[in-house]
Amino acid sequence: MKSEVILHINGEQRSTVIRQADTLLVVLRHLELTGAKPGCLNGDCGACTVLVNDTPIKSCMMLAIETVGQEITTIEGLHDTAIQRAFVEQFAFQCGYCTPGFVMNAYALTTQKPDADEETIRKWLESNICRCTSYQEIEQAVRSVLVQKKR
Amino acid sequence: MIPFDVAYYRPSTIEEAVQLFSSLEAEGKRPLYYGGGTEFITLARLGRTFADAVIDLKSLPECRILSVTAHELTFGAALSLSTIEEANSFPLLTKAVREIADRTARNQITLGGNICGRIFYHEAVLPFLLADSRVVIAGKEGISEQSIHEVFEQYMRLSPSQFLVQVKIDAVYNKLPYVHTKRRQQGNTGYPLVTVAALKKDEKLRVAFSGVCPFPFRSLEVEERLNRKLPLDVRIANAIEALPSPVLDDIEGSANYRLFVLRHALLDVITALEGESA
């Protein structure tokens, strides 16, 4: 079953035809928004993380049709944010495949939880997997943004 | 990718949801009530479930309630686990849901999805079993409120046309001493080897388990044995003899290993709740 829908993505309205069974990840990539990455497709790795109404969501685990009328933000919608700069400064990636998902999650964390304690940082970052094991650098990137915000 | 077509519906009232289910069934379709969708999408992708229509319950106001009064706490079934975690209105429930999956997944997984889904751990139900909660259920026959013990026996005994609307507990349970521990084979986000939730009411322990047997449970026989005035190791050994089914023996852990972990988890839980007197 197909539907013509309008999705609000990165501040733009995108009209597209989707299968009602399509996940958000599939639809985003058909719209050439390929920053959200297919990894496990099982909700485990977090490489496909995007924001729906500012909340991190694994886009492989949500039907695209559920997001009609909601605000979707993908990595293509972030431009020179503090967390993106911190990832570069802290060398918080190697192959980069997991990076968009980590950045989206970390962006939400640092903007919504500026007073996040160690436990909160750990709990949020557990949602993503980095096969290159850049975990320490990623955590440093998050911490550096939180420290900047407190200044 | 879901390898079959699904029609998506988002009703805005309970009556509309129930009516939709009936009319879709009458058309020969196989509808399914839909919460966060994580379990459905996971199992559908693997060919382990099928529905040709899903009825999304997240827009039903009754399913989105989180209310705290002096006498009662009400949790809507469509609340995400992270919403419950942030609200922290029932600390034992907060602890239980914080240990389910990971934070991003908890933004999507709903309370009703965890309790009523097919994946058998149902860890969010443990606090509600301990708190003698009441469940509000909607279906073709209307809306009813029942004790959770009448409806949850190994899993939620709902007919396909019924869905969970709310879970309610008396406010008194909110203030009781509690312990929750989840032991995994490895990592911090996976399924449990053993999860034990416990609280102490009227000087008696109440204990519920997930991961021990192929279903979550609270057993009055197990509790009675744990509350006997005997040495702690004897109480635990006696309680383990009364488990309601053989211990799980699967890829997460052998039965013997789970039993080893269970003994230690119970030791820690009881010691925490009874202190030196244990």
Side-chain angles (χ1 to χ4, degrees), chain A residues 29-68:
Chain A
R29 294 183 64 83
H30 282 169
L31 291 169
E32 299 186 347
L33 294 163
T34 54
K37 296 288 185 274
C40 66
L41 299 179
N42 200 49
D44 296 323
C45 75
C48 65
T49 303
V50 300
L51 306 185
V52 177
N53 294 339
D54 299 326
T55 300
I57 290 291
K58 294 179 181 181
S59 61
C60 73
M61 285 285 117
M62 179 175 270
L63 299 179
I65 196 160
E66 286 184 68
T67 64
V68 171

Side-chain angles (χ1 to χ4, degrees), chain B residues 119-233:
Chain B
I119 296 171
F120 64 78
Y121 297 103
H122 305 299
E123 290 172 90
V125 85
L126 302 186
F128 293 119
L129 292 174
L130 297 178
D132 293 336
S133 61
R134 299 171 301 284
V135 289
V136 178
I137 292 164
K140 289 175 188 166
E141 297 76 26
I143 297 172
S144 65
E145 185 171 321
Q146 300 171 62
S147 161
I148 195 164
H149 302 303
E150 292 170 31
V151 187
F152 194 94
E153 173 59 40
Q154 301 189 358
Y155 58 91
M156 278 294 273
R157 308 276 173 158
L158 300 179
S159 72
S161 65
Q162 291 180 312
F163 63 89
L164 180 67
V165 178
Q166 293 165 353
V167 189
K168 299 178 177 184
I169 66 162
D170 290 338
V172 64
Y173 288 98
N174 204 12
K175 297 176 178 63
L176 297 175
Y178 70 91
V179 177
H180 179 281
T181 184
K182 178 169 178 172
R183 311 275 163 98
R184 301 175 182 85
Q185 188 187 59
Q186 60 179 356
N188 297 316
T189 59
Y191 292 128
L193 278 172
V194 168
T195 297
V196 181
L199 57 76
K200 198 171 172 187
K201 184 168 191 300
D202 304 329
E203 294 305 307
K204 297 281 186 192
L205 297 171
R206 295 183 176 195
V207 192
F209 304 84
S210 175
V212 176
C213 298
F215 48 84
F217 65 93
R218 176 186 169 199
S219 157
L220 297 183
E221 173 69 20
V222 168
E223 281 179 9
E224 191 273 322
R225 291 175 181 225
L226 286 174
N227 279 302
R228 285 180 192 165
K229 297 206 178 304
L230 292 169
L232 184 51
D233 55 342

Side-chain angles (χ1 to χ4, degrees), chain B residues 1 13 35 241 255:
Chain B
M1 185 176 197
T13 66
E241 281 176 13

Side-chain angles (χ1 to χ4, degrees), chain A residues 20 41 58 61 66 113, chain B residues 8 34 58 86 102 108:
Chain A
Q20 295 193 9
L41 299 179
K58 294 179 181 181
M61 285 285 117
E66 286 184 68
K113 302 267 180 192
Chain B
Y8 174 84
Y34 184 91
K58 294 195 291 293
E86 296 277 327
D102 59 65
Q108 248 184 296

